[in-house]
Amino acid sequence: MDQLRAAINTLRSQFDLKMPRYRRRNTDIAAYRDFIAQRDPLINIPEMAKSNELADRHRQHGNRAYAAKRFDEALLQYNQSICFAERGSEQLGMGYANRSAVYYEQGEYEFALYNIDLARKHNYPEAMMPKLLAREVNCKKMIDEGNSKGTVPIPVVQMNVEVNPTIPFLAKGITMKQYGEMGRGLVAERDFTTGDVILDEKVDLCFVSCFRNYLNCGHCGSEFCRSLIPCLGCVMFMYCSEKCREQDLRITHRFECSVASKLFSVTDLTAMMMARLFFYGLTAFDDNVNKMMKYCLANAGTGSNPFELEFANLNRVDIFKVLHQTKARYDPTIEHDLKVDAAAYHLIFMKSPAVQAIFCTAAQRNFMLRCLLIHGRVASTLALNQKYEPNGFTANFSPLATVCNHSCDPNATTIVDSGSIKLIVLRPIVKGDQILTTYGPAWWRAQYCHDVNFDCNCPFCDEGSEGEKWQAEQDQAPMMPPNPPKDLFSTDGDTSNLVYKLGRFQRIVKFLAREHLGQLFGDMANVYHDALIEVVRQENRKRDRAKVWIGGAVNAATEVKSPKTI
């Protein structure tokens, strides 16, 4: 991948020499397309195909990492091996079997059994079967003896306030408002307090960046304990389930699959999201490119209000229209890169048989080029990005969560995990307040977060009077609360229980926010934020264990009924 990125960087450098910055602003995207088309070898790299040789190489790397007890690295290598394994080959079954060994060592016995079942279904060598069956017996024994990490989630971080009667995943008392240069945003029509879960929305469109593509589902973004299954056609996408694989292929991936390696050679999050949003729309319009073209050209950037959607009867056309009509932010600092990405993507997609079959005329192909740029601006404005060090990003679209604006001094926090987006109140919100989250940095955890790709105008970042006022309030805040409740910092109770800790952290953060205790609040908000994320992940991990354990039990029951299996 480093070599492929060197090619696109060369392309950009050549464009810089031909088109100086002062001449770029009004340069039509067609000029970008024509320039890149003349240098087609830079983006027309050979497509990586399934290869048992490469699958075996990754598996051996995984074995070395496993022997050194570097289990996360081993899982990454085994997943790559599974992706490269040819259909019907023993390499696929051996990759699943190796993965089951990692899960056994990690105490993830349900996932170990799930992968043992996958190995048996995918040509695991008969000569090695006794070792696999012994591991299966040991896994079941460990579960029977009570050593499972749990399959029953404690739903702590879930909607805990009255919900909107027409939007069941949103709290009652939240609507949309225009905020000048910030554009639309969420506003509270009632008071909320620390710990209130005010949004729990499903991810509608997702993309995972290079290297995360072997760790997260390419459709919903779930990690699923990294126990993913491969795309049957390419080596760049993995999924948490057959359902996600089938849905992704139908909605977007059928256009990507034959050119996936080429796309990843020039991709970043905004670029891939621009393409995924475009093809999401094409599928919503039943592949009728003329109908889509007529709508898109007339309605781009006209503005939208997702609160007007009929969520009880929601369909993809409605979701696409809300996203497409967004008044996207025009940022001259990234416009050049967006045009390069859109032009390169357009040329690569035109090598896809699925795209060629639909975009037959010059007008249709030109529409696709220009719409990719429009959707690049939408993606740079709306996409909820999550950074995972050192292994890349995920990006997510949904109608409502993307309306919430950023601040480095947020009163709420967003957690994206297992295909859902949760918005949780950090400090009390009163009627009339804008609800603000962070899309990267926060003043109390800037060292842990990535920068945003826009100019932030929140009080913390403001260099004028508002910023001075905010800083003065922080400086004047006392270092300790004057009269804290006696039990506020008590350690009584089960301090090893993360749910108990979360409740205690929540009480402390609520008290410190009410007392306006600047840095002390920030330090505790940081701890509370991390605890929220961990609790959500633990809840979802238990759901995932239950999912594979039930599936494994069903498979086992089916096999017992079969005389051939006995």
Side-chain angles (χ1 to χ4, degrees):
M1 280 297 173
D2 290 339
Q3 184 178 357
L4 300 180
R5 285 200 173 86
I8 192 63
N9 289 335
T10 299
L11 182 64
R12 285 175 173 155
S13 298
Q14 291 180 5
F15 195 96
D16 289 342
L17 292 174
K18 179 180 178 180
M19 186 69 66
R21 291 182 182 276
Y22 71 89
R23 292 176 53 193
R24 289 179 190 165
R25 182 176 179 86
N26 298 318
T27 302
D28 189 80
I29 191 172
Y32 283 75
R33 177 200 58 202
D34 296 342
F35 177 87
I36 297 174
Q38 294 170 5
R39 293 154 181 81
D40 184 69
L42 287 172
I43 60 172
N44 193 20
I45 56 103
E47 196 65 23
M48 287 191 287
K50 303 284 186 182
S51 164
N52 283 339
E53 180 182 353
L54 289 176
D56 184 65
R57 187 182 305 171
H58 281 295
R59 199 168 56 79
Q60 296 305 325
H61 286 315
N63 289 343
R64 287 191 286 273
Y66 172 81
K69 297 190 181 300
R70 300 193 303 271
F71 296 134
D72 287 345
E73 180 184 342
L75 283 175
L76 174 61
Q77 292 292 337
Y78 290 147
N79 279 359
Q80 288 176 284
S81 175
I82 289 167
C83 263
F84 277 96
E86 298 173 26
R87 292 183 70 174
S89 71
E90 291 184 343
Q91 285 293 334
L92 191 55
M94 292 170 71
Y96 288 129
N98 287 147
R99 214 163 60 178
S100 74
V102 174
Y103 292 126
Y104 184 82
E105 292 297 323
Q106 293 179 324
E108 293 286 355
Y109 303 116
E110 291 84 0
F111 277 102
L113 288 170
Y114 173 63
N115 277 270
I116 289 169
D117 187 56
L118 286 172
R120 294 165 73 176
K121 291 177 178 178
H122 291 88
N123 299 309
Y124 186 71
E126 285 293 333
M128 303 172 67
M129 192 64 73
K131 184 177 182 180
L132 192 68
L133 296 180
R135 186 179 300 140
E136 182 179 43
V137 170
N138 289 335
C139 285
K140 291 179 178 179
K141 179 181 178 182
M142 295 300 286
I143 292 173
D144 290 342
E145 292 177 352
N147 293 306
S148 169
K149 292 183 178 180
T151 57
V152 181
I154 302 174
V156 177
V157 186
Q158 63 176 354
M159 296 293 294
N160 53 11
V161 294
E162 186 178 359
V163 299
N164 187 308
T166 59
I167 310 175
F169 54 83
L170 179 73
K172 184 178 181 181
I174 296 176
T175 189
M176 193 181 85
K177 179 180 177 180
Q178 292 295 324
Y179 285 96
E181 292 184 0
M182 293 183 75
R184 60 187 189 172
L186 297 179
V187 61
E189 295 183 323
R190 49 157 289 196
D191 295 351
F192 295 100
T193 191
T194 303
D196 285 350
V197 181
I198 56 177
L199 177 78
D200 191 353
E201 186 176 18
K202 182 179 72 70
V203 170
D204 279 296
L205 191 59
C206 172
F207 171 67
V208 294
S209 69
C210 188
F211 295 117
R212 288 311 305 180
N213 57 321
Y214 299 116
L215 302 174
N216 292 73
C217 176
H219 182 65
C220 73
S222 300
E223 285 195 18
F224 203 62
C225 203
R226 302 182 179 179
S227 190
L228 308 174
I229 59 175
C231 171
L232 299 177
C234 73
V235 300
M236 303 305 295
F237 282 78
M238 299 192 80
Y239 301 97
C240 66
S241 65
E242 293 279 359
K243 180 180 179 180
C244 272
R245 183 164 67 183
E246 292 170 2
Q247 287 185 347
D248 200 50
L249 184 65
R250 178 167 52 87
I251 297 169
T252 57
H253 189 57
R254 58 193 169 111
F255 302 107
E256 306 161 338
C257 192
S258 65
V259 291
S261 300
K262 294 179 179 67
L263 293 171
F264 270 84
S265 74
V266 299
T267 196
D268 60 25
L269 279 183
T270 299
M272 202 64 166
M273 286 301 280
M274 73 168 68
R276 293 212 124 197
L277 178 56
F278 178 80
F279 290 115
Y280 181 97
L282 182 62
T283 300
F285 278 97
D286 296 323
D287 291 356
N288 188 327
V289 65
N290 289 328
K291 185 178 179 181
M292 180 185 179
M293 182 164 55
K294 182 178 179 180
Y295 164 78
C296 287
L297 295 178
N299 292 281
T302 56
S304 62
N305 184 353
F307 283 81
E308 296 176 352
L309 291 172
E310 295 183 16
F311 285 94
N313 300 295
L314 201 58
N315 58 60
R316 289 195 178 90
V317 172
D318 293 332
I319 295 172
F320 173 75
K321 287 181 176 180
V322 161
L323 297 172
H324 176 78
Q325 291 178 208
T326 298
K327 291 183 178 179
R329 178 180 62 251
Y330 178 85
D331 186 347
T333 62
I334 65 171
E335 184 71 5
H336 168 66
D337 286 343
L338 287 179
K339 289 180 177 178
V340 171
D341 291 339
Y345 261 48
H346 176 261
L347 291 167
I348 291 173
F349 273 115
M350 289 314 302
K351 302 177 190 300
S352 165
V355 175
Q356 292 173 0
I358 296 174
F359 294 84
C360 303
T361 69
Q364 291 172 341
R365 292 190 290 271
N366 186 58
F367 157 68
M368 177 180 171
L369 172 66
R370 297 184 185 280
C371 209
L372 284 174
L373 178 59
I374 291 170
H375 291 163
R377 294 169 184 154
V378 170
S380 67
T381 302
L382 293 185
L384 301 176
N385 298 340
Q386 281 192 306
K387 188 174 185 178
Y388 299 84
E389 292 290 3
N391 291 317
F393 284 80
T394 64
N396 306 275
F397 272 144
S398 68
L400 289 184
T402 51
V403 177
C404 192
N405 285 320
H406 164 82
S407 173
C408 297
D409 185 23
N411 50 26
T413 187
T414 302
I415 299 175
V416 184
D417 194 82
S418 294
S420 71
I421 305 169
K422 296 178 186 287
L423 189 62
I424 303 123
V425 175
L426 279 178
R427 50 187 171 84
I429 296 171
V430 300
K431 182 179 179 179
D433 281 353
Q434 182 177 184
I435 299 169
L436 297 163
T437 187
T438 173
Y439 289 161
W443 68 265
W444 36 265
R445 60 185 290 109
Q447 69 272 31
Y448 302 119
C449 299
H450 60 283
D451 294 331
V452 291
N453 61 352
F454 54 86
D455 293 329
C456 180
N457 295 315
C458 75
F460 174 73
C461 295
D462 185 78
E463 296 180 354
S465 59
E466 287 297 317
E468 292 177 359
K469 179 182 176 182
W470 185 90
Q471 190 59 57
E473 291 176 351
Q474 300 300 307
D475 294 341
Q476 294 169 9
M479 296 301 295
M480 287 295 291
N483 297 298
K486 292 182 179 180
D487 64 342
L488 185 64
F489 297 101
S490 170
T491 57
D492 293 341
D494 184 5
T495 57
S496 64
N497 186 302
L498 186 58
V499 173
Y500 167 81
K501 288 182 179 180
L502 181 67
R504 188 159 60 89
F505 295 157
Q506 181 175 306
R507 292 194 300 273
I508 296 172
V509 168
K510 182 177 180 180
F511 173 80
L512 298 178
R514 189 173 65 242
E515 297 295 325
H516 305 287
L517 294 175
Q519 187 59 53
L520 189 58
F521 163 79
D523 292 342
M524 203 62 221
N526 199 11
V527 174
Y528 177 54
H529 176 273
D530 290 344
L532 278 169
I533 292 175
E534 188 57 31
V535 167
V536 169
R537 287 178 176 171
Q538 286 191 12
E539 289 176 6
N540 287 327
R541 183 63 64 84
K542 288 179 180 178
R543 290 189 182 94
D544 292 342
R545 290 191 198 102
K547 189 184 301 182
V548 298
W549 177 233
I550 292 171
V554 170
N555 289 332
T558 302
E559 290 170 1
V560 167
K561 293 177 183 179
S562 169
K564 292 182 179 180
T565 303
I566 295 173

